[in-house]
Amino acid sequence: MTSERLLLVDTADECVEVLWGQLPLFTYVYRIDAPRSESPKPYLHPVRTLSGDVITGFRPEDHVWHKGVQMTAPNLSGQNFWGGGTYVHGSGYVDLPNNGTMEHVEWEELETDGTAARLVERLTWRTAAGEVWIEERRTIEVPRVDSSAGVYQLSFTFQLRNLASHDLVFASPAIEGRPDAGYGGLFWRGPDSFVGGRIIAAGGLGGTDIMGSRAQWLAFTGCHDSGSLSTLIFIDDTTNLRYPTEWFVRTSPIACVSPALAFSERLTLPAADELTFRHALVVAAGDVGRADIERLVAAAKTDATADADSSPAPKLRASLS
């Protein structure tokens, strides 16, 4: 029986580090020092496997606003909560004064019982003009760690409430006219060494056929500079509005995945209304085949339907290292 346990460390009111024993699993940076052009917002980086390999990229030269794992929105009623330029039909990407921010307000929960962990945060989405359009309650959980199998799971819940006086409309560059550029929502950028990795998805999908296709899950296996392999399994939740999601995924010239919330069709969040998106990410050391991926997906879905009361209970707000 392993003696390793989960530990939360809050660092200088800027980030929370989640460790498994001595190993830092991931760092969640919630106060951001970045240019407005990068649409500053919280992110997870670095994220590691249980073998210690880093499976996220950070501020690569091609897209400096790509930071590990983030919640993103490239076009929300004309505001850019993604970073960089905004895609304009007929003009390409244009630098506009419309880069918004996602800002940490407070922690509602920071807790662990040593076997699972739960982070619950309140945020606001603020436009370039300073207007608060969305109030968000974000939950990041580690529901289980299986060190013997080299696998752990991250679960994300994004609860968005429209505080604007008008409907908010999510779109993507694909909707605006750029083929296959349907990214938006949860977004992962992989390290440079993952370029050329293998992708497969539910329903027997594989390779380039996955772009824009609907599937319950998508798995990306990449190679590190050391030669070791890691597999990431992204899982859509059955409660999501457009389940199963359309996937945005690239293996070249960059490695990235997004279970897109508005790949090919606009999504409207009416004034004073709410939307909730849930996704799981299983992080596995090594090359995981389709049969084992299906088993891990089934386990993740079991976690997702478990009674919320089974989540770790003791609050550690006053006990963080």
Side-chain angles (χ1 to χ4, degrees):
M1 186 174 181
T2 182
S3 60
E4 295 147 319
R5 294 174 62 81
L6 285 168
L7 175 68
L8 305 181
V9 179
D10 192 2
T11 304
D13 197 33
E14 293 179 358
C15 62
V16 174
E17 193 172 42
V18 178
L19 299 94
W20 177 246
Q22 299 292 318
L23 174 68
L25 285 185
F26 66 87
T27 299
Y28 181 65
V29 181
Y30 58 90
R31 294 200 190 278
I32 317 303
D33 181 15
R36 174 56 71 97
S37 61
E38 296 180 20
S39 296
K41 52 195 169 294
Y43 59 88
L44 286 80
H45 176 80
V47 182
R48 294 180 174 86
T49 69
L50 289 174
S51 296
D53 290 314
V54 175
I55 51 88
T56 48
F58 181 73
R59 296 192 82 245
E61 290 185 2
D62 51 77
H63 299 82
V64 293
W65 51 92
H66 287 191
K67 301 179 178 73
V69 180
Q70 299 177 290
M71 177 60 170
T72 67
N75 189 331
L76 178 62
S77 293
Q79 289 290 300
N80 181 342
F81 292 93
W82 165 255
T86 298
Y87 189 83
V88 178
H89 184 66
S91 300
Y93 285 97
V94 180
D95 291 330
L96 300 175
N98 67 341
N99 290 95
T101 61
M102 299 182 192
E103 300 172 2
H104 172 84
V105 176
E106 66 175 358
W107 289 108
E108 291 187 2
E109 301 175 38
L110 284 170
E111 58 189 34
T112 183
D113 63 357
T115 63
R118 178 177 169 90
L119 293 71
V120 183
E121 177 189 23
R122 285 184 54 241
L123 307 97
T124 56
W125 294 31
R126 194 178 297 273
T127 68
E131 298 177 356
V132 175
W133 273 8
I134 288 179
E135 180 182 64
E136 178 188 347
R137 186 173 189 261
R138 179 176 300 183
T139 302
I140 302 172
E141 296 177 285
V142 183
R144 61 188 179 94
V145 180
D146 186 346
S147 57
S148 62
V151 172
Y152 71 95
Q153 179 181 328
L154 285 165
S155 297
F156 300 91
T157 302
F158 306 100
Q159 298 170 275
L160 311 179
R161 183 171 184 80
N162 183 351
L163 297 186
S165 59
H166 51 83
D167 293 353
L168 295 175
V169 181
F170 291 89
S172 68
I175 292 172
E176 300 301 328
R178 185 186 178 207
D180 290 336
Y183 51 82
L186 184 69
F187 187 89
W188 163 78
R189 174 65 188 259
D192 290 344
S193 65
F194 273 35
V195 171
R198 185 194 70 208
I199 48 173
I200 61 174
L205 293 173
T208 57
D209 290 342
I210 301 175
M211 176 67 88
S213 295
R214 295 187 181 275
Q216 298 176 13
W217 57 262
L218 180 150
F220 192 116
T221 299
C223 183
H224 299 278
D225 290 332
S226 65
S228 62
L229 300 174
S230 297
T231 301
L232 288 75
I233 309 166
F234 299 85
I235 307 169
D236 196 27
D237 193 276
T238 57
T239 64
N240 288 338
L241 185 63
R242 292 176 173 172
Y243 176 87
T245 189
E246 293 173 280
W247 292 94
F248 172 83
V249 57
R250 295 195 190 282
T251 61
S252 180
I254 65 175
C256 58
V257 172
S258 177
L261 56 85
F263 189 106
S264 61
E265 181 183 357
R266 288 176 172 82
L267 177 63
T268 298
L269 174 56
D273 208 349
E274 294 185 2
L275 278 174
T276 298
F277 300 96
R278 295 183 175 89
H279 305 284
L281 170 57
V282 176
V283 180
D287 185 0
V288 182
R290 186 176 289 272
D292 285 332
I293 288 171
E294 294 278 10
R295 177 181 55 80
L296 291 169
V297 169
K301 289 183 176 180
T302 299
D303 290 334
T305 56
D307 189 341
D309 291 339
S310 65
S311 296
K315 289 186 170 56
L316 301 183
R317 187 187 301 275
S319 305
L320 291 171
S321 302

